[in-house]
Amino acid sequence: MDKILFKNILVYFSDLSSKRINFYLDSSGNVNFLDSFDISDYKEVLDGEDLVVMPLLTDVHTHMRVPGQEEKEDITSGSKAAARGGIGQIFTMPNTKPVVDNAYLVDYLVSNIDKNSSMKIYPVGAVSKNQAGEELSPLLEMKRSGAIAFSDDGRPITTNILRKALIYAKTFDGVIIDHPEDPVLSDGGLIHEGRLSRAYGIKSIPYTSEEVCVARDVALARETRSRLHLAHLSTRHSLKYIEIAKEEDLNVTSEVTVNHLIFNCENISIFDTKFKVNPPFREEEDMYELFNALKKGIIDIICTDHAPHTLEEKELDYSQAPFGTPGLETVFAALYTNFVMSNKCALEDIIKWMVVNPSKVFSIPVLELQNNSKANFFIFKKNEEFLVKPEMFFSKCKLSPFLDKKLFGFPLATFYNGKMIYKDNNFLQTVKEI
Amino acid sequence: MISHLLSTKNLELNEALEIFDNARKFLEVLDRPTKKVPILKGKLILTVFFEPSTRTRTSFEIAGKTLGADVVNLSVSQSSTKKGETIKDTCLTLNAMKPDCIVIRHSVSKIPDYITNFTSAKIVNAGDGSNEHPSQALLDAFTLIQHFGDLSGKKILILGDVLNSRVARSNVWLLKKFGAKVSLCGPSTLVREEFEKEWDVDVYWDLDEAINDADAIIVLRIQLERAASAWIPSTREYSIFYGLNSKRLVNNNKVLIMHPGPMNRGLEISSEVADSDNALIRKQVTNGLAIRMSIFYHLLGHKVDNIGEHLDKNTEQRGY
């Protein structure tokens, strides 16, 4: 890479400070802060009037579909999608075929990631063997192989196994992630139970399906005093249990997907399979309350729950199409457009929810711009609008709920460990993506 | 003019009235010794039932044939579609056979809307999941209007498993358009309290209270094979508290009784009530033919001629 000068660029840091600085990237991808400079020294100069440099985001909830469902996504396509979204670290869930429930599969995943990923991907191991909820998986052995946390994602951890896992995880200070849903109450439901499900007579998922599971989970976290993380909250009714848990200083954290902050069952086309997700999009009030919970610190993290499927699967009718929608590419642009630009939150808040808190909860490093270090950041341009098109997606799944919508703040380039892992076609003309 | 008959929710009142006007004329045809008005000669109607049905399918078939259309019945087993072909492919295949109209029944709500994307044929919803059954509601409203002339202010009670009933939903949306006072009655699991506000209807959990001052009762079938059984403790208990029998009607012996069929005699309705003079259950079936003829005529008929001319022409040709 030729020397690139970043001139007078607004840089945000993980301590939530920001300042305009000059720096250049040298040929080996190192960042060098500058007090003064001579433009003629540089092959290309980026003038930073509207440009913003951000720390790399962390997405604690994705599905890379490896092993066994590579027709939906693989490590190469998934990590490219994440790079396009300004992300530098992702967690991949174990509900694959076969389920990642032993150290050999974690080893395989790690070697596949080492070979094919442009960024850091952390495997999450299954809590129970084959996610059947009957026997505990070898958590400690999986952790030694590189599992970051444990979850039976896609379904809730059975009560007995959750209690055992929480107690066992104390041995190694592990985090158990639960997908809070009572499958008996969900009972094959397709959409949120409410006005629309009643009007159309559609099998539905009541909010209590999540709430009763959150209540159970908090009770077990209280008993065991172990570390519990609740995945993809969807209803305002879950929040009071987490609020109480935080007041009691329990080790309970939680996340919400970016989509559940933007969509609800009234502002989408409910029969469009792009919007078929689990948990389902609920009511407008839930959407607002989930965002308020982030601001109050009741919810800690925003994730994508990037859940890609093939076109063939998502083109089935809405009752047969699988749950899940992609989200890696659009997460930052969607948050920036919907919340930062409308002054509902600041860029610093996004950094808190997608950089600082993930790093705290899961004890992983923060990746950001640092002098004399390998470049770790993404850069975007304020006020630059993009029409979301399938061609923008590196994910194998291009059926985004944001298709044909206009979003601001798409990353123009992403650098991970000194390498440029994503570059917009019209950005940085002299350099080539690595 | 409607391009498909998918629901009563989106049906305009004047469209329903037009369907009724022509249905009245078709009723006469059904009483003729030769029941044929070849208005739809050369039109191909496919009935595609992903769920077993005898009476609705037969009614559509007779309606189409009486109008001279070619009616071909396909029973598509849902288990075979699960094995391979998607509903989209099934529809694209059927569409390639150039039907003018597809009558579809499916166990999933809104599938008839979905398939309009994959065919140029007119779609008639013959029942989709628990969502709608518009031709049934049209024939019910038609039958009620035959008796009352005007439905405005009439208290029409829908009794039974409203939660899982497409007949109930289509009737609620349609009868309200005619100004009827729609009431629902059943146990609170099957008649949810939210219906009152969301649907702007009256909800009763007590049958005697509900029957009081009702002008007509549409009794719904308790679908033993379906979800209803999960929401009631037993059919015996249901029958004791919500079964319609003559004792219940002592204080309101003028009320009209309807049932979409097939009936579970002794469960949701006693034989005495089903066979009483106030019961319009057989009339509903005949009216159903006329309504379905009218639906086909609306969707497929030549709009240049009016129906009266067709009927007259046929009368002349046959020398009546």
Side-chain angles (χ1 to χ4, degrees):
Chain A
M1 196 157 34
D2 292 308
K3 276 166 77 176
I4 315 167
L5 175 64
F6 291 76
K7 186 182 134 199
N8 194 32
I9 306 254
L10 182 59
V11 182
Y12 283 80
F13 296 96
S14 65
D15 63 1
L16 307 187
S17 68
S18 58
K19 59 186 171 200
R20 287 202 174 266
I21 53 177
N22 305 302
F23 65 93
Y24 77 92
L25 292 184
D26 63 25
S27 54
S28 47
N30 284 306
V31 175
N32 302 271
F33 288 8
L34 295 166
D35 293 325
S36 59
F37 51 85
D38 180 350
I39 283 178
S40 61
D41 292 346
Y42 300 94
K43 176 96 180 206
E44 184 156 358
V45 177
L46 285 175
D47 203 322
E49 190 53 36
D50 292 324
L51 293 173
V52 181
V53 160
M54 292 280 289
L56 290 175
L57 307 176
T58 299
D59 187 351
V60 302
H61 196 137
T62 80
H63 298 269
M64 292 293 110
R65 306 297 191 199
V66 178
Q69 296 174 311
E70 288 83 356
E71 72 281 7
K72 296 176 194 258
E73 197 77 285
D74 61 27
I75 298 296
T76 308
S77 62
S79 65
K80 275 189 171 174
R84 206 261 174 270
I87 297 163
Q89 305 185 83
I90 59 184
F91 293 11
T92 182
M93 290 294 163
N95 53 337
T96 45
K97 285 183 181 171
V99 169
V100 179
D101 62 358
N102 61 65
Y104 307 105
L105 283 171
V106 176
D107 288 340
Y108 162 74
L109 205 42
V110 167
S111 75
N112 187 333
I113 290 163
D114 284 347
K115 205 165 119 197
N116 297 309
S117 177
S118 55
M119 63 174 59
K120 185 70 188 175
I121 300 180
Y122 300 94
V124 173
V127 175
S128 66
K129 285 179 186 159
N130 202 28
Q131 294 193 318
E134 287 165 7
E135 289 174 85
L136 211 52
S137 309
L139 306 187
L140 200 44
E141 215 185 342
M142 283 194 282
K143 184 185 162 71
R144 191 178 59 189
S145 291
I148 184 81
F150 304 95
S151 171
D152 277 354
D153 192 66
R155 60 180 74 165
I157 306 166
T158 55
T159 311
N160 182 29
I161 289 293
L162 176 59
R163 184 168 180 273
K164 283 181 182 153
L166 284 168
I167 297 171
Y168 187 56
K170 294 179 83 164
T171 317
F172 52 93
D173 200 23
V175 185
I176 305 297
I177 303 173
D178 194 28
H179 160 130
E181 177 182 10
D182 183 331
V184 176
L185 290 181
S186 294
D187 190 28
L190 298 167
I191 64 170
H192 169 64
E193 180 159 326
R195 187 185 72 83
L196 288 169
S197 73
R198 286 186 286 270
Y200 295 116
I202 297 168
K203 290 192 94 179
S204 55
I205 304 171
Y207 68 80
T208 42
S209 159
E210 177 176 302
E211 184 185 348
V212 297
C213 200
V214 168
R216 174 199 77 161
D217 289 6
V218 169
L220 291 172
R222 182 181 292 120
E223 184 206 7
T224 59
R225 299 276 149 181
S226 193
R227 290 171 67 185
L228 172 72
H229 181 74
L230 293 162
H232 49 53
L233 297 177
S234 68
T235 168
R236 62 187 187 275
H237 300 282
S238 295
L239 299 172
K240 52 184 176 284
Y241 304 92
I242 299 164
E243 194 170 8
I244 290 168
K246 298 238 175 198
E247 278 167 16
E248 292 177 23
D249 234 10
L250 303 182
N251 273 318
V252 173
T253 53
S254 62
E255 70 190 30
V256 59
T257 83
V258 54
N259 294 336
H260 286 80
L261 298 171
I262 294 172
F263 301 115
N264 62 71
C265 61
E266 302 279 352
N267 74 0
I268 56 168
S269 155
I270 201 92
F271 302 105
D272 183 337
T273 61
K274 289 202 291 291
F275 297 100
K276 185 178 176 184
V277 294
N278 188 26
F281 293 125
R282 300 197 184 272
E283 289 161 17
E284 200 178 19
E285 200 180 338
D286 292 304
M287 198 180 81
Y288 293 135
E289 288 302 321
L290 290 168
F291 186 70
N292 285 338
L294 274 167
K295 294 205 85 166
K296 287 191 227 160
I298 299 167
I299 298 177
D300 305 273
I301 292 171
I302 298 177
C303 65
T304 64
D305 194 3
H306 175 81
H309 294 287
T310 64
L311 187 64
E312 289 80 4
E313 289 169 310
K314 285 304 256 187
E315 275 190 345
L316 292 169
D317 71 78
Y318 83 97
S319 72
Q320 297 208 337
F323 290 103
T325 194
L328 288 170
E329 286 96 338
T330 48
V331 55
F332 179 74
L335 290 172
Y336 182 73
T337 307
N338 286 281
F339 298 102
V340 179
M341 287 182 70
S342 56
N343 294 316
K344 293 192 182 93
C345 73
L347 266 178
E348 288 87 342
D349 291 317
I350 308 290
I351 294 170
K352 205 163 67 194
W353 300 326
M354 292 205 70
V355 178
V356 180
N357 289 351
S359 129
K360 277 189 196 157
V361 172
F362 294 100
S363 313
I364 55 173
V366 161
L367 302 177
E368 62 185 327
L369 191 76
Q370 267 187 307
N371 196 13
N372 301 318
S373 303
K374 295 283 186 191
N376 279 308
F377 65 88
F378 77 91
I379 185 165
F380 74 96
K381 192 174 191 177
K382 285 182 180 174
N383 307 320
E384 185 163 351
E385 193 181 56
F386 292 79
L387 181 63
V388 181
K389 288 277 164 209
E391 305 84 74
M392 290 173 70
F393 290 79
F394 289 95
S395 169
K396 292 186 182 180
C397 180
K398 299 169 200 312
L399 289 172
S400 162
F402 294 100
L403 278 188
D404 300 319
K405 291 192 166 67
K406 284 177 177 167
L407 292 180
F408 293 84
F410 269 105
L412 295 174
T414 303
F415 293 85
Y416 176 88
N417 198 25
K419 289 177 184 149
M420 184 158 61
I421 58 174
Y422 168 72
K423 181 179 84 67
D424 185 273
N425 282 338
N426 303 315
F427 192 69
L428 287 173
Q429 301 296 343
T430 63
V431 286
K432 276 191 180 156
E433 216 174 310
I434 300 166
Chain B
M1 191 54 221
I2 50 170
S3 44
H4 306 285
L5 183 66
L6 302 172
S7 80
T8 59
K9 206 182 251 156
N10 304 322
L11 196 66
E12 298 288 336
L13 183 63
N14 63 343
E15 289 169 337
L17 287 171
E18 215 181 308
I19 289 172
F20 291 173
D21 282 345
N22 291 328
R24 260 177 228 112
K25 295 169 191 160
F26 287 131
L27 264 183
E28 294 162 24
V29 173
L30 293 171
D31 278 334
R32 292 178 188 171
T34 307
K35 300 179 192 64
K36 206 82 169 175
V37 206
I39 303 174
L40 299 184
K41 203 170 173 191
K43 299 285 182 190
L44 175 59
I45 296 170
L46 299 180
T47 71
V48 187
F49 279 59
F50 290 88
E51 254 186 2
S53 152
T54 328
R55 56 187 62 216
T56 304
R57 195 190 53 65
T58 307
S59 180
F60 273 111
E61 181 177 354
I62 294 171
K65 286 183 169 165
T66 307
L67 293 175
D70 294 308
V71 183
V72 177
N73 300 315
L74 290 98
S75 297
V76 190
S77 135
Q78 251 159 343
S79 64
S80 78
T81 58
K82 262 181 194 142
K83 272 181 210 152
E85 199 172 47
T86 63
I87 179 125
K88 177 183 168 181
D89 276 324
T90 306
C91 287
L92 290 172
T93 304
L94 294 177
N95 189 54
M97 298 172 189
K98 308 284 179 193
D100 299 286
C101 179
I102 296 177
V103 180
I104 178 173
R105 170 169 287 189
H106 199 281
S107 61
V108 175
S109 297
K110 299 293 270 184
I111 290 295
D113 297 52
Y114 172 72
I115 69 163
T116 59
N117 297 312
F118 312 117
T119 173
S120 46
K122 312 278 187 181
I123 303 299
V124 174
N125 178 5
D128 60 329
S130 304
N131 182 29
E132 289 224 37
H133 191 351
S135 65
Q136 177 71 42
L138 283 165
L139 77 88
D140 288 343
F142 181 72
T143 307
L144 287 166
I145 286 172
Q146 264 183 343
H147 280 260
F148 294 122
D150 182 7
L151 294 187
S152 80
K154 293 282 182 239
K155 178 175 171 182
I156 314 295
L157 175 66
I158 301 175
L159 169 63
D161 180 9
V162 175
L163 180 74
N164 297 297
S165 173
R166 49 194 175 214
V167 174
R169 280 183 184 75
S170 277
N171 263 311
V172 169
W173 317 140
L174 186 64
L175 293 173
K176 277 162 53 74
K177 286 179 208 251
F178 284 98
K181 222 168 125 249
V182 179
S183 303
L184 311 175
C185 180
S188 52
T189 43
L190 300 178
V191 177
R192 296 285 169 86
E193 60 183 316
E194 291 93 341
F195 293 164
E196 191 155 78
K197 251 195 191 157
E198 289 172 358
W199 299 0
D200 186 25
V201 295
D202 293 321
V203 161
Y204 297 90
W205 295 331
D206 180 281
L207 181 55
D208 293 323
E209 206 187 316
I211 289 176
N212 186 31
D213 75 0
D215 294 293
I217 304 176
I218 298 174
V219 185
L220 300 174
R221 174 181 165 77
I222 281 290
Q223 286 168 308
L224 301 169
E225 73 279 15
R226 277 207 211 189
S229 48
W231 292 103
I232 54 173
S234 71
T235 50
R236 179 188 146 80
E237 178 156 315
Y238 181 86
S239 175
I240 293 170
F241 290 92
Y242 296 99
L244 195 61
N245 55 46
S246 49
K247 239 165 78 188
R248 297 273 190 188
L249 298 174
V250 166
N251 295 322
N252 187 354
N253 53 16
K254 289 228 169 87
V255 65
L256 299 178
I257 308 296
M258 309 214 293
H259 191 299
M263 291 184 282
N264 298 300
R265 282 175 185 262
L267 205 178
E268 73 262 5
I269 191 166
S270 73
S271 283
E272 210 180 339
V273 173
D275 300 330
S276 70
D277 291 343
N278 289 351
L280 305 177
I281 297 163
R282 308 300 163 211
K283 199 165 220 172
Q284 284 174 275
V285 177
T286 311
N287 285 344
L289 284 178
I291 284 289
R292 290 178 176 118
M293 287 168 74
S294 188
I295 290 166
F296 284 140
Y297 175 72
H298 272 255
L299 293 174
L300 305 173
H302 306 282
K303 289 286 112 181
V304 280
D305 300 333
N306 78 43
I307 185 173
E309 286 168 20
H310 271 288
L311 292 178
D312 293 344
K313 227 183 283 169
N314 272 294
T315 312
E316 282 162 28
Q317 278 168 4
R318 295 219 167 78
Y320 292 114

